Amino acid sequence: MNAPASPAETLRTALAGLLDGLPPKAAAQSVERLIANYRGATPTHAPILRDRADVTAYAAYRMPATFEAVRAALDAFADAVPDWTPDSHVDVGGGTGAATWAVSATWEGDRPVTVLDWAEPALALGRDLAAANPALKTAEWRRSRIGAALTIESTDLVTVSYVLGELTETDRASVVDAAATAARTVVIVEPGTPDGYARVIEARDRLIGAGFRIAAPCPHSAACPLVPGEDWCHFSARVSRSSLHRQVKGGSLAYEDEKFSYVAATRLPATPAPSRVVRRPQIRKGQVLLDLCGPDESLHRETVTKRHGALYRAARDADWGDPWPPAE
């Protein structure tokens, strides 16, 4: 008997089906225009995804990357709170629902799920896609303005992914405060750029001020040791590229790496990583160089050599974003 498809595989299949009947050139042009809009100044009164063609093209192009980034953040959080499973989930600004798919890939079982977004075409498409995922068949897709007027019903988990960059500073603060009031756990994901990191740090500070503790990626809930303007904390998730990806971006690689920044904060008891690998490990002859964020609020480099035995073998397998040292 064949094993059931994973949520990632199911999502890829559902997205591929979306593009049937949509001319590839039209899809690529729509994606290019939407990317330009996302990189520009976005008025908070106007959803970027205006119609079914916009939403279809952009979902096929962006949902896999958003899914993988959010899933990586959720996996790190789940490692810090291993005995907890969310009983309910609200996805703020969730659009077509990539984060809801990532939650279903992280924790098995059904739970009440609500997706809030102001773009009705995105909600409609997300609802259609969710029919392929048993964990999302009862999800609610609700139109809501994402900003100062946002209210969120009490829930175990709130996700806010790739949303804060579309909002004004005032609206960003309101959304984070609403999430903190409603949820026991809040996970925020933004692009892995200096600006995306700055928004994550801003949200992190508000969550700590609201009484949350940081579960991931940081090993502590103190101030980030990075100097603003000189460096930024971000990670990488590998994404299988669709034919639409290759058409829009060129090249022939079957994958690309999605850079993202995130914070996972909770009111639950949590055991953060002892340290976190914050750069891609450098493997050299007989040694591995690991750049780590440590529990003492410092950034430092650790050199692991062959004489460290099993720890050296673990270092050779370590990846960017992993906890260090690995759990035994």
Side-chain angles (χ1 to χ4, degrees):
M1 181 181 294
N2 293 330
S6 69
E9 293 167 335
T10 303
L11 178 59
R12 279 195 296 269
T13 300
L15 289 171
L18 285 180
L19 293 174
D20 289 346
L22 188 65
K25 185 176 180 181
Q29 288 174 341
S30 184
V31 168
E32 288 170 345
R33 179 180 61 76
L34 291 166
I35 289 172
N37 283 349
Y38 268 105
R39 289 173 178 166
T42 305
T44 58
H45 61 275
I48 294 173
L49 301 176
R50 302 172 307 190
D51 55 32
R52 182 79 176 194
D54 274 359
V55 174
T56 297
Y58 204 73
Y61 181 78
R62 276 300 307 170
M63 271 190 82
T66 301
F67 169 85
E68 294 295 353
V70 176
R71 184 168 68 167
L74 293 174
D75 283 347
F77 172 76
D79 287 343
V81 190
D83 297 324
W84 181 78
T85 297
D87 289 334
S88 54
H89 172 215
V90 174
D91 187 18
V92 174
T96 55
T100 66
W101 285 76
V103 169
S104 73
T106 306
W107 293 285
E108 294 182 353
D110 298 336
R111 61 189 56 85
V113 176
T114 303
V115 182
L116 304 177
D117 201 275
W118 61 5
E120 183 58 42
L123 292 168
L125 186 66
R127 191 181 299 113
D128 290 348
L129 287 170
N133 185 340
L136 299 179
K137 285 186 176 179
T138 61
E140 287 188 53
W141 301 79
R142 190 181 304 166
R143 192 169 188 186
S144 175
R145 184 170 291 277
I146 310 302
L150 177 68
T151 58
I152 305 172
E153 295 175 3
S154 179
T155 186
D156 261 3
L157 171 67
V158 166
T159 53
V160 188
S161 56
Y162 294 84
V163 173
L164 298 182
E166 300 176 36
L167 306 178
T168 64
E169 183 176 353
T170 299
D171 282 347
R172 287 199 299 269
S174 296
V175 167
V176 174
D177 289 348
T181 299
R184 291 204 290 169
T185 294
V186 178
V187 178
I188 294 174
V189 182
E190 282 287 297
T193 62
D195 286 346
Y197 161 72
R199 292 189 292 270
V200 166
I201 287 297
E202 181 183 81
R204 180 184 186 272
D205 290 345
R206 296 194 76 85
L207 291 168
I208 292 171
F212 282 70
R213 62 180 60 86
I214 304 304
C218 321
H220 56 79
S221 296
C224 177
L226 290 173
V227 178
E230 293 184 8
D231 202 355
W232 70 99
C233 183
H234 64 294
F235 302 95
S236 180
R238 182 141 293 183
V239 184
S240 297
R241 298 177 77 191
S242 66
S243 58
L244 181 57
H245 272 86
R246 292 193 289 271
Q247 184 177 354
V248 172
K249 285 198 169 181
S252 58
L253 286 177
Y255 64 87
E256 66 177 6
D257 292 326
E258 171 72 7
K259 305 297 195 302
F260 65 98
S261 295
Y262 77 98
V263 63
T266 188
R267 298 188 187 278
L268 301 164
T271 305
S275 294
R276 180 79 61 184
V277 181
V278 293
R279 294 286 182 275
R280 200 177 300 280
Q282 299 180 44
I283 299 178
R284 299 179 179 174
K285 186 175 181 180
Q287 62 181 17
V288 181
L289 308 182
L290 299 176
D291 290 309
L292 303 171
C293 180
D296 57 351
E297 307 156 42
S298 71
L299 294 171
H300 64 280
R301 173 168 288 182
E302 184 171 317
T303 301
V304 186
T305 66
K306 280 187 174 180
R307 65 183 176 83
H308 290 102
L311 198 62
Y312 170 71
R313 291 189 291 275
R316 287 183 61 87
D317 291 335
D319 201 0
W320 186 6
D322 282 353
W324 185 262
E328 295 182 359

